[in-house]
Amino acid sequence: MGEEARRGTHAHGRSENASRTGGEGATVSPGGRAAAGDGSARWRRVGVVGLGTMGAGIAEVLAGSGLDVVGVERDTDALRRARGRIEHSLDRAARHGRLADAARGELLGRLSLGTELAAVSDCDLVIEAIDERLDAKTALFARLDEVCLPATVLATNTSSLSVTELAAGTGRSARVLGMHWFNPAPVMGLVEVVRTVVTDADALAAVVSLVGAVGKTAVVAADRAGFIVNALLFGYLNNAVRMVEARFATREDVDAAMRLGCGHPMGPLALLDLIGLDAAHAILASMYDQTRDHLHAPAPLLGQLVAAGLLGRKTGRGFYTYPATDAPDVPPEGPGRKDPGAVGEPGAVGEPGAVGESGAVGEPGGGGGAGTAAARTPGGPATPGEAGAVGGAAVRVRSVGIVGSGTMARGIAEVLARSGHDVILRARRPDAADAAHDRVAASLAAAVAKGRLSDDDRDAALGRLRVTTDLGELGGCDVLLEAVVEDLAVKRELFTDLDKVARPGAVLATTTSCLPVVECATATRRPEAVVGMHWFNPAQVMRLVEVVPTVLTGAGATATVTALARAAGRHPVQCADRAGFIVNALLFPYLNDAVKMLQANYATIEDIDTAMTVGCGHPMGPFALADVVGLDVTLAITRSLYEQFREPGYAPAPLLEHLVRARFLGRKTGRGFHAHAPR
Ligand SMILES: NC(=O)c1ccc[n+]([C@@H]2O[C@H](COP(=O)([O-])OP(=O)(O)OC[C@H]3O[C@@H](n4cnc5c(N)ncnc54)[C@H](O)[C@@H]3O)[C@@H](O)[C@H]2O)c1
């Protein structure tokens, strides 16, 4: 790892801004006035040009922090809309008790709005937030350069254009930088401050200080397409669009998978609708221009939606359909959603029986994707008699046999026993079987101690759990679920054995996270009964289950494990049998991209983690997460994605391989990207 990358040269936390950038203690005083004993004190009057979605929010934040703000729009109509936007936002803050009447009056008193650009001439800083068009921005910067005092610093809120190019078009390139805010500006805590190769260090430090003074966190990034957040986020978002485009999974299932599997506040498609599909398309196109990485080339579906004027929430329809334009609500992703209208929706285009198709949304009671699994086998509607006992609807599951005694096997056994299923857990050795039983008992006891489970329910759950070393004892179970080591030869051999002992009509399921489910299916004489059921760790906590039918799986088998997941209080999503399923296929390329960004010395571990947590609301940054997952596991999954998809962009980052070779595996070895206290 390069020293530069480790040193942490940039500010990344409010408390650290001052010390790491030369500023000292920029604070917001109790009265709300930005007061600082450092660079940020030089900002008294700030101009904001373009008061659309972003500019209006930025002006509100600055005026709310005690700065005098001069807002400029291009004409009176646009100015009227801008006033409405600000009023609306302040109303909302007041409704939520975040803004008192007096403070609102003061804030509005500090805000002067007009249509004359000359009004910003004596500002210390001018932030440009007009449309994302290079020609428009270049012309505006040329005019600002003319009308503003020589000392005025000019900042652009561009998401994807070259700050360097904008700076070069002025006579003050050292005092031009990027200030990339996040939407909605009053709510989101991050601002990426973008320096070019000629940016003046004092101007940069003072802008970073200002960001801290208005209550946001700054990370400093060099001028590269997408900076930190978008460069990592948009590859992931594009990937999600391609999944829907390829009918690999439904939009609802992709979104639910990332919310429940990764704790993201929004799924990628709902997020794209919020960002605006036109903006997303422009950002990806600009990233592609710079990187020439096929993974950044906007997915054709995105371009089609934009061409059709379906731009997301702002037009009332994008991947989802909203009750109104600019609707504040996230579309429901749960059952009951019937929305056959959205373009690009799997199943919306009539093409029955496409292999890999994940089915239609909006079927009766559907929307949860996997909920209607019975009606949609990946291989198309089953020919009568084709799938035998598992060819129809869900079979009610009373008993489950679990093979394995590791973390997943025990966690799943506990969840299923607690939800009223008879469970037989089979380990290879008697001591392992007993230990598994004791671990489940201890976990149930811990739930009782935390007040999450009654004594009676614990006793009932334990009463439903049996352990054995004899695979034959699983023969009578309705579902036989394998959770042994992630090794294809071992799993195939086990499936051959399960096929021998399982009763006719039983469903055989695998918990594999990376291996092809179909390889397990072909090790049996009943491939129609074999399906993937991918749980997440810890199973007791994580609500997501990916249900993975192969091209050979019967509809009944898919429906049965889907219903079983629901009965166990889990949220099933369905996808085709492709490496990484939904979550890992979206998550690991993103983690790998973060490692590549680090490897290129573009930003530090801390800045990247901060940018993704503060800027996107992710529960963990990519490096903190890789350390939890394990760098060896991260590498193995990244390799398996690369081997299956042959995408050059999925090739594991050399730095990741290097760290694994050095046994920097993350929390488990005390050191990964971060150092960890020994456990
Ligand atoms: N929307 C986002 O999520 C987001 C996030 C971060 C950054 N950005 C960037 O912020 C900038 C603005 O984006 P937005 O979403 O607010 O766009 P927007 O279309 O909502 O607002 C642009 C505003 O600029 C005004 N305008 C255009 N030309 C002008 C001129 N010459 N003088 C004064 N006003 C002018 C328009 O009337 C409009 O109100 C873009 O560069 C965008 O890439 C957007």
Side-chain angles (χ1 to χ4, degrees):
M1 185 182 330
E3 256 321 295
E4 278 272 327
R6 282 209 220 126
R7 232 182 292 136
T9 45
H10 311 317
H12 72 97
R14 235 167 282 162
S15 58
E16 287 174 340
N17 284 348
S19 60
R20 298 177 83 195
T21 58
E24 277 124 36
T27 55
V28 178
S29 70
R33 181 157 279 269
D38 67 311
S40 79
R42 76 192 249 186
W43 314 124
R44 285 193 180 75
R45 203 169 151 79
V46 179
V48 180
V49 183
L51 300 168
T53 311
M54 294 307 296
I58 295 168
E60 179 190 329
V61 171
L62 297 173
S65 302
L67 293 151
D68 291 327
V69 177
V70 181
V72 181
E73 254 298 346
R74 61 173 149 203
D75 55 41
T76 47
D77 261 5
L79 190 63
R80 192 175 30 78
R81 285 197 298 276
R83 278 190 213 283
R85 234 172 246 130
I86 294 170
E87 291 285 347
H88 186 72
S89 173
L90 295 180
D91 286 348
R92 196 162 43 205
R95 258 201 322 277
H96 290 103
R98 285 186 269 119
L99 185 69
D101 280 352
R104 180 194 181 116
E106 282 175 31
L107 187 157
L108 289 171
R110 283 192 289 269
L111 202 56
S112 66
L113 305 179
T115 55
E116 286 303 320
L117 194 64
V120 301
S121 60
D122 61 344
C123 286
D124 310 301
L125 168 71
V126 177
I127 302 171
E128 165 281 307
I130 67 167
D131 314 46
E132 187 76 345
R133 282 185 12 237
L134 186 61
D135 55 344
K137 288 194 197 274
T138 310
L140 178 63
F141 270 80
R143 286 211 48 215
L144 286 171
D145 198 25
E146 275 167 31
V147 301
C148 291
L149 295 171
T152 302
V153 173
L154 305 180
T156 171
N157 186 44
T158 183
S159 315
S160 57
L161 301 174
S162 162
V163 180
T164 310
E165 208 168 326
L166 291 173
T170 70
R172 63 179 83 204
S173 50
R175 285 183 305 289
V176 177
L177 41 71
M179 265 182 111
H180 182 234
W181 297 65
F182 288 76
N183 185 13
V187 177
M188 299 303 288
L190 186 74
V191 178
E192 289 174 316
V193 180
V194 183
R195 62 176 160 76
T196 71
V197 284
V198 294
T199 303
D200 175 69
D202 288 344
L204 180 76
V207 167
V208 166
S209 218
L210 173 71
V211 171
V214 303
K216 309 284 183 195
T217 298
V219 292
V220 177
D223 187 20
R224 204 172 89 167
F227 313 129
I228 299 176
V229 173
N230 286 351
L232 293 181
L233 188 67
F234 274 78
Y236 150 74
L237 296 177
N238 206 28
N239 218 343
V241 177
R242 285 172 193 225
M243 277 187 175
V244 173
E245 189 169 48
R247 300 171 175 219
F248 168 70
T250 66
R251 59 186 180 189
E252 282 85 356
D253 280 3
V254 170
D255 277 351
M258 296 313 286
R259 283 187 298 111
L260 300 174
C262 296
H264 290 182
M266 288 178 111
L269 303 160
L271 178 57
L272 278 164
D273 274 358
L274 175 72
I275 291 169
L277 304 192
D278 49 346
H281 191 274
I283 291 170
L284 278 164
S286 157
M287 282 171 59
Y288 177 72
D289 276 349
Q290 281 196 26
T291 62
R292 292 287 155 195
D293 180 345
H294 149 80
L295 295 171
H296 296 149
L301 175 59
L302 204 52
Q304 288 156 23
L305 289 166
V306 172
L310 306 179
L311 306 184
R313 284 201 205 186
K314 58 185 162 188
T315 58
R317 190 164 152 192
F319 285 98
Y320 294 90
T321 303
Y322 298 82
T325 53
D326 284 322
D329 297 326
V330 186
E333 288 159 4
R337 178 163 177 76
K338 277 188 162 192
D339 178 13
V343 178
E345 171 186 319
V349 189
E351 204 182 287
V355 174
E357 177 187 334
S358 282
V361 192
E363 291 167 32
T372 49
R376 41 194 168 90
T377 353
T383 313
E386 179 191 84
V390 288
V395 173
R396 165 108 199 270
V397 177
R398 289 186 177 77
S399 56
V400 181
I402 295 178
V403 187
S405 57
T407 312
M408 290 315 290
R410 292 193 307 266
I412 298 167
E414 180 182 336
V415 171
L416 292 174
R418 278 181 68 167
S419 54
H421 300 88
D422 290 329
V423 177
I424 312 177
L425 181 147
R426 184 266 188 175
R428 274 178 302 171
R429 296 184 319 274
D431 55 332
D434 291 341
H437 187 276
D438 292 350
R439 296 279 291 269
V440 174
S443 173
L444 290 169
V448 172
K450 286 182 190 146
R452 294 199 192 123
L453 187 70
S454 71
D455 285 325
D456 286 352
D457 286 345
R458 179 212 34 212
D459 294 345
L462 271 180
R464 285 190 285 266
L465 174 67
R466 206 149 57 80
V467 295
T468 180
T469 53
D470 177 7
L471 200 62
E473 283 197 42
L474 275 52
C477 291
D478 301 319
V479 171
L480 285 75
L481 178 64
E482 155 296 297
V484 302
V485 65
E486 190 76 343
D487 177 317
L488 188 57
V490 174
K491 288 198 197 276
R492 276 181 61 85
E493 197 179 325
L494 178 60
F495 267 86
T496 303
D497 292 343
L498 288 175
D499 188 21
K500 289 180 190 142
V501 301
R503 67 166 175 76
V507 172
L508 311 183
T510 169
T511 56
T512 182
S513 13
C514 303
L515 301 171
V517 177
V518 74
E519 296 267 15
C520 298
T522 53
T524 73
R525 287 160 305 166
R526 50 174 120 183
E528 72 284 355
V530 178
V531 62
M533 193 181 192
H534 182 223
W535 295 64
F536 287 73
N537 186 24
Q540 297 92 328
V541 177
M542 300 296 286
R543 281 185 55 224
L544 185 70
V545 172
E546 289 172 324
V547 174
V548 189
T550 74
V551 288
L552 298 169
T553 307
T558 310
T560 299
V561 293
T562 300
L564 175 62
R566 283 227 173 82
R570 297 299 173 263
H571 185 116
V573 295
Q574 186 179 316
C575 63
D577 183 20
R578 214 172 78 172
F581 309 137
I582 300 175
V583 172
N584 289 351
L586 289 177
L587 181 66
F588 284 89
Y590 152 76
L591 295 183
N592 196 40
D593 280 350
V595 183
K596 287 190 210 158
M597 183 179 272
L598 176 69
Q599 180 182 277
N601 281 332
Y602 177 68
T604 65
I605 290 172
E606 289 76 16
D607 280 355
I608 295 171
D609 273 355
T610 301
M612 299 314 290
T613 49
V614 183
C616 297
H618 291 179
M620 279 185 178
F623 298 110
L625 181 58
D627 275 7
V628 171
V629 171
L631 272 58
D632 49 346
V633 176
T634 303
L635 179 60
I637 295 178
T638 305
R639 273 197 186 129
S640 78
L641 290 170
Y642 179 53
E643 277 160 20
Q644 182 160 121
F645 294 107
R646 314 287 162 112
E647 280 284 357
Y650 285 1
L655 175 61
L656 181 62
E657 294 179 318
H658 190 84
L659 292 175
V660 170
R661 244 177 264 128
R663 302 283 308 155
F664 284 15
L665 303 185
R667 286 203 184 165
K668 57 189 160 191
T669 59
R671 184 154 185 191
F673 291 105
H674 297 274
H676 302 275
R679 287 198 296 176

